[in-house]
C-alpha cells in the first residue's frame, strides 16, 4: 500500500475550493465519503523513496493539519486518491496553473486530529513535520503504513 501525505494550514482558506468544508462534511455524513481537489505541486516535484513521483488512483492518503500547536496538529482526514494529476487554474491566482489531484475522503475532521503530531513522530521515528521535504509525499515503510492505517481506519 502506498500512503501519501497532504497538508492543510489553517492560515489558508479551506473554502477556496469548489466545496466548502461544511458541504464536504454534509456529503460525508450522508454518503460515507466526500471528494474534493487538492493542490499537488510538491508531490509532482519530489519523488518518493520508492522512486515514484506519480500518484495512482487507489493509493491511500492522509491529510495533516499544520501551522498550529502540536496538540491540534496531526492527521485530520484520510482516504484514497480518486484522480491523478491534472492541471487547472491556481486557486489563489486564476492566471497561473497548478497540479491538482482528487481526494476521496473516508474521514475528515479539521478540528480534532485522529493522531497528533507527537503520536506520528513516535511512529515514524523522527520529529513529524508534514511540511518538511523529507516527509512530504513520502511513502512510508509497509509496516508503518499498515500501522498508521489500522490506527485511523477503525
Amino acid at each position: 500500500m502506498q500512503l501519501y501525505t497532504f497538508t492543510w494550514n489553517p492560515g489558508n482558506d479551506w473554502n477556496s475550493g469548489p466545496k466548502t468544508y461544511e458541504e464536504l462534511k454534509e456529503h460525508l455524513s450522508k454518503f460515507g465519503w466526500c471528494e474534493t481537489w487538492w493542490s499537488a505541486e510538491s508531490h509532482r516535484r519530489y519523488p518518493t523513496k520508492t522512486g515514484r513521483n506519480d500518484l495512482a488512483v487507489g493509493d491511500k492518503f492522509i491529510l495533516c493539519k499544520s501551522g498550529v500547536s502540536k496538540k491540534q496538529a496531526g492527521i485530520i482526514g484520510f482516504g484514497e486518491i480518486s484522480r491523478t494529476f491534472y492541471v487547472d487554474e491556481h486557486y489563489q491566482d486564476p492566471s497561473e496553473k497548478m497540479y491538482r489531484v482528487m481526494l476521496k475522503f473516508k474521514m475528515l475532521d479539521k478540528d480534532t486530529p485522529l493522531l497528533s503530531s507527537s503520536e506520528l513522530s513516535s511512529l515514524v521515528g523522527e520529529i513529524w513535520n508534514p511540511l518538511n521535504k523529507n516527509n512530504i509525499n513520502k511513502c512510508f515503510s509497509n509496516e508503518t503504513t499498515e500501522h498508521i492505517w489500522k490506527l485511523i481506519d477503525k
Side-chain angles (χ1 to χ4, degrees):
M1 166 177 27
Q2 302 297 324
L3 180 64
Y4 293 90
T5 303
F6 290 86
T7 58
W8 173 61
N9 184 326
N12 295 331
D13 182 13
W14 183 285
N15 298 324
S16 62
K19 293 184 179 177
T20 66
Y21 176 76
E22 287 73 25
E23 289 170 327
L24 291 170
K25 286 294 286 186
E26 184 177 332
H27 194 278
L28 185 62
S29 69
K30 283 183 184 176
F31 301 103
W33 62 275
C34 62
E35 188 175 53
T36 191
W37 60 262
W38 209 264
S39 169
E41 288 293 316
S42 62
H43 290 72
R44 192 74 176 158
R45 286 193 296 262
Y46 303 110
T48 64
K49 70 179 187 176
T50 62
R52 285 178 56 184
N53 66 348
D54 206 3
L55 306 171
V57 171
D59 282 347
K60 308 290 187 209
F61 74 87
I62 55 176
L63 178 66
C64 292
K65 183 177 183 180
S66 67
V68 292
S69 74
K70 287 185 180 184
K71 260 188 173 174
Q72 295 175 316
I75 297 175
I76 61 167
F78 65 91
E80 292 185 355
I81 308 294
S82 58
R83 182 178 174 193
T84 58
F85 295 108
Y86 65 100
V87 177
D88 205 348
E89 291 180 350
H90 194 286
Y91 65 96
Q92 292 175 326
D93 182 356
S95 68
E96 296 289 324
K97 300 293 183 200
M98 68 183 292
Y99 283 106
R100 294 182 180 173
V101 294
M102 289 297 288
L103 302 180
K104 185 175 182 178
F105 286 90
K106 187 174 181 180
M107 186 279 169
L108 177 64
D109 185 345
K110 71 178 184 175
D111 300 315
T112 309
L114 292 164
L115 284 175
S116 70
S117 288
S118 300
E119 292 168 311
L120 283 167
S121 292
S122 68
L123 287 173
V124 298
E126 59 186 84
I127 301 299
W128 175 259
N129 177 358
L131 297 178
N132 181 327
K133 287 181 185 169
N134 293 326
N135 285 329
I136 198 163
N137 39 282
K138 174 181 183 178
C139 284
F140 300 104
S141 71
N142 284 339
E143 184 179 297
T144 303
T145 299
E146 295 294 333
H147 187 62
I148 290 172
W149 204 254
K150 285 177 186 171
L151 289 171
I152 61 176
D153 190 17
K154 299 174 186 174

